Amino acid sequence: MKEYLKKLYTKDKNTYFKLLSNDLKNNHKRFIITVNPETLMLSENDKELKKILDGNYSFVPDGIAVVKAARKVGTNVAERITGIDIAEYLLKLANENKYSIYLFGAKAEVIEKLVNRIKVEYPNINILGYSNGYVKDRDKIMKDIIKKTPDICMVALGIPYQEKIIAKYFDKASKGIYIGVGGSFDVMSGTKKRAPKLFIKLNLEWLYRIIIEPSRLKRFWNSNVKFMFKIKR
Ligand code: UDP
């Protein structure tokens, strides 16, 4: 686990955003993996996910527990860089530069709402395609994505499914920023609310998510709490 903490991006969010902007300008490929305690805990018993974490991708620290754990092992990570912050930034950038995107994941009504929001708020974005995440044949969607060569591809299927399906096809992509964004489409579409700014500032976003959705408690225990015990040990 230590080796994965050492691979995390260490500079601040704005510097990372500049990297993404340069990638898009120069048609450089990038697969962004937002690393949180759940990713790391799941990788202990999931060989396919472990192989992805062993890969040469762009790992960013999502989640305060990961930031703190990295610092403990001597990797001085500047701050959290969350999937939703990257996703919102990429939309802004795409609108400014007329980049193309493909969105895959979340419930049908969520993705429809998000696409409508993008059409209104970011009219210059070229939406090459989109699909909800409950289709039977996920590979068919990924093949369509690869064929259409979007500048940006966001996949919201949850950890580790989004990372696995991107990893399976990323080699075939000739360009593009690929990122798994978890529950971000739910928030970006306006279906769910993100934690109030104060919670985010105090690093208590996780607490807000549990209060709103108590069913997350078990997941939180199995990922974050066990992760913190492991790091302490
Ligand atoms: N999801 C999906 N297909 C599935 C299972 C989940 O598209 O078969 C979506 C789900 O609707 C949600 C996202 O994947 O939008 C996962 O969200 P979650 O809040 O669990 O992710 P987190 O941000 O906690 O990683």
Side-chain angles (χ1 to χ4, degrees):
M1 193 166 285
K2 204 169 159 183
E3 70 269 31
Y4 301 137
L5 293 168
K6 286 185 182 288
K7 285 171 91 171
L8 292 170
Y9 183 76
T10 53
K11 293 182 187 157
D12 61 283
K13 189 159 77 179
N14 287 332
T15 310
Y16 190 69
F17 286 173
K18 275 190 201 123
L19 279 182
L20 302 184
S21 168
N22 281 337
D23 282 345
L24 287 163
K25 261 187 214 133
N26 300 309
N27 279 335
H28 282 163
K29 276 169 59 158
R30 186 184 292 266
F31 174 12
I32 304 170
I33 301 182
T34 59
V35 179
N36 59 33
E38 193 170 23
T39 328
L40 295 173
M41 291 311 289
L42 286 175
S43 75
E44 303 238 291
N45 297 309
D46 184 332
K47 281 198 183 123
E48 193 182 342
L49 181 61
K50 195 169 180 313
K51 200 170 157 224
I52 295 171
L53 295 184
D54 285 330
N56 186 19
Y57 303 123
S58 189
F59 299 98
V60 295
D62 184 354
I64 190 62
V66 164
V67 171
K68 291 202 166 148
R71 287 178 188 160
K72 270 210 170 76
V73 299
T75 303
N76 206 6
V77 167
E79 59 178 337
R80 280 179 82 194
I81 306 180
T82 65
I84 191 159
D85 285 343
I86 296 173
E88 290 282 7
Y89 171 74
L90 288 174
L91 288 186
K92 197 171 130 272
L93 200 63
N95 192 48
E96 285 164 9
N97 297 282
K98 301 194 166 91
Y99 292 138
S100 61
I101 64 167
Y102 202 119
L103 305 167
F104 176 27
K107 291 187 181 139
E109 64 268 25
V110 170
I111 191 82
E112 291 291 344
K113 262 171 91 175
L114 177 58
V115 166
N116 287 336
R117 180 195 151 201
I118 292 173
K119 283 182 182 160
V120 173
E121 282 182 40
Y122 302 104
N124 296 325
I125 295 182
N126 176 12
I127 303 173
L128 292 179
Y130 64 92
S131 166
N132 74 72
Y134 294 84
V135 289
K136 268 212 183 105
D137 193 351
R138 290 179 173 174
D139 289 271
K140 193 173 155 200
I141 306 296
M142 288 307 296
K143 283 175 191 157
D144 189 46
I145 294 173
I146 296 299
K147 200 174 82 197
K148 292 190 173 144
T149 63
D151 295 309
I152 297 159
C153 170
M154 298 184 197
V155 181
L157 298 172
I159 298 165
Y161 311 102
Q162 55 197 21
E163 283 74 22
K164 287 182 181 176
I165 199 113
I166 295 175
K168 187 171 169 191
Y169 287 92
F170 186 65
D171 279 351
K172 298 185 178 74
S174 54
K175 63 166 189 174
I177 292 185
Y178 284 70
I179 177 169
V181 292
S184 300
F185 288 180
D186 299 299
V187 176
M188 290 157 77
S189 64
T191 313
K192 281 188 192 173
K193 276 208 168 69
R194 193 175 174 188
K197 283 207 172 79
L198 186 65
F199 277 77
I200 298 175
K201 206 172 149 217
L202 295 175
N203 289 320
L204 291 173
E205 191 163 10
W206 57 272
L207 180 62
Y208 177 84
R209 293 185 89 179
I210 291 174
I211 296 170
I212 297 298
E213 287 176 72
S215 57
R216 282 185 175 272
L217 192 57
K218 190 165 173 235
R219 243 175 99 183
F220 182 78
W221 179 269
N222 284 329
S223 53
N224 293 56
V225 178
K226 287 190 178 167
F227 174 74
M228 282 183 287
F229 276 124
K230 196 175 164 77
I231 293 298
K232 278 231 161 71
R233 270 211 309 278

